[in-house]
Amino acid sequence: VGWFESPFNRTDELDRRSGYAYEYQQKLAAYTGWTYEYVEGSWPELLRMLQEGKIDLLSDVSYTPERGEKMLFSTLPMGAEEYCLFAAAGNREISPEDLTTLNGKRVGVNRGSIQADLYRSWAQSTGVETELVALSGTEEENFSLLNRGRIDLYVSLGGFGDAERTTPVCRIGASDFYFAVN
């Protein structure tokens, strides 16, 4: 089972797991008798591993037709998530009130995520022209790239932002998400 830190998967200081996805998986295990071996990684790494058959189950996967050909999705979604565009908290060049300030900026997205397609559609509809940068790190690593100025903006879940270090600029889209099985 893929494990990545998110609003649905948390590990505390004593290495105890918790969160919506974890509790759901434990409920499944109670009915099926399954036991899990957790494989940790960034979400892009784990999605690739799921597609390659190296892990069996991953939470928080949005459906796309291409993914539907390679994996099975739960009938009902786990939920819906919103994706936001974040800037470093001290960035004075970017203004949520003036989207033209985004033009020419480097925007990071998780490699293999639907966030890239959602961002492209949003950028086209708003007339924003940026460079998209595919990232493979964890959310913490990717936000660090943002705060070090390696990228100008980062697309992530609305719940991932760090109010002291990042500022949400705008919402770029939303998607249902599911448990997926190879």
Side-chain angles (χ1 to χ4, degrees), residues 13-24:
E13 62 278 353
L14 299 175
D15 285 335
R16 294 178 296 201
R17 298 179 192 279
S18 66
Y20 175 67
Y22 175 78
E23 299 301 331
Y24 188 89

Side-chain angles (χ1 to χ4, degrees), residues 82-89 91 94 96 102 105-108 115 119 122 139 142-143 145-147 151-172:
E82 291 187 341
Y83 305 104
C84 294
L85 190 59
F86 289 90
N91 188 324
I94 295 171
L102 305 180
K105 303 295 189 229
R106 292 172 41 90
V107 178
Q115 297 164 1
Y119 179 78
W122 175 85
E139 291 299 304
N142 294 343
F143 273 112
L145 291 173
L146 175 65
N147 288 308
I151 54 176
D152 302 300
L153 298 151
Y154 179 56
V155 177
S156 186
L157 294 173
F160 268 132
D162 177 349
E164 293 179 16
R165 301 183 318 154
T166 62
T167 302
V169 176
C170 60
R171 178 183 175 273
I172 61 107

Side-chain angles (χ1 to χ4, degrees), residues 102-123:
L102 305 180
N103 288 332
K105 303 295 189 229
R106 292 172 41 90
V107 178
V109 295
N110 282 326
R111 183 181 308 280
S113 72
I114 68 158
Q115 297 164 1
D117 290 336
L118 288 173
Y119 179 78
R120 282 186 197 98
S121 294
W122 175 85

Side-chain angles (χ1 to χ4, degrees), residues 8-9 26 35 57 79 99 102 111 129 131 144:
F8 307 111
N9 298 312
Q26 293 307 304
T35 57
L57 178 66
L99 295 181
L102 305 180
R111 183 181 308 280
E129 295 181 14
E131 176 188 348
S144 178

Side-chain angles (χ1 to χ4, degrees), residues 7-143:
F8 307 111
N9 298 312
R10 295 276 184 208
T11 307
D12 70 12
E13 62 278 353
L14 299 175
D15 285 335
R16 294 178 296 201
R17 298 179 192 279
S18 66
Y20 175 67
Y22 175 78
E23 299 301 331
Y24 188 89
Q25 291 165 354
Q26 293 307 304
K27 187 61 104 174
L28 283 176
Y31 287 107
T32 63
W34 294 347
T35 57
Y36 302 116
E37 175 186 337
Y38 290 98
V39 177
E40 296 183 20
S42 68
W43 191 92
E45 292 169 335
L46 294 169
L47 179 65
R48 180 183 43 77
M49 292 174 75
L50 180 69
Q51 291 170 334
E52 294 172 354
K54 294 179 180 176
I55 62 172
D56 301 305
L57 178 66
L58 184 62
S59 66
D60 198 20
V61 181
S62 297
Y63 177 83
T64 66
E66 300 96 26
R67 290 178 183 170
E69 293 176 11
K70 298 176 185 173
M71 57 189 84
L72 300 175
F73 287 81
S74 55
T75 302
L76 298 174
M78 289 175 61
E81 55 194 9
E82 291 187 341
Y83 305 104
C84 294
L85 190 59
F86 289 90
N91 188 324
R92 303 257 185 258
E93 295 177 14
I94 295 171
S95 169
E97 290 82 27
D98 181 4
L99 295 181
T100 63
T101 62
L102 305 180
N103 288 332
K105 303 295 189 229
R106 292 172 41 90
V107 178
V109 295
N110 282 326
R111 183 181 308 280
S113 72
I114 68 158
Q115 297 164 1
D117 290 336
L118 288 173
Y119 179 78
R120 282 186 197 98
S121 294
W122 175 85
Q124 183 177 14
S125 72
T126 58
V128 171
E129 295 181 14
T130 58
E131 176 188 348
L132 215 52
V133 180
L135 304 172
S136 296
T138 63
E139 291 299 304
E140 184 177 314
E141 292 166 342
N142 294 343
F143 273 112

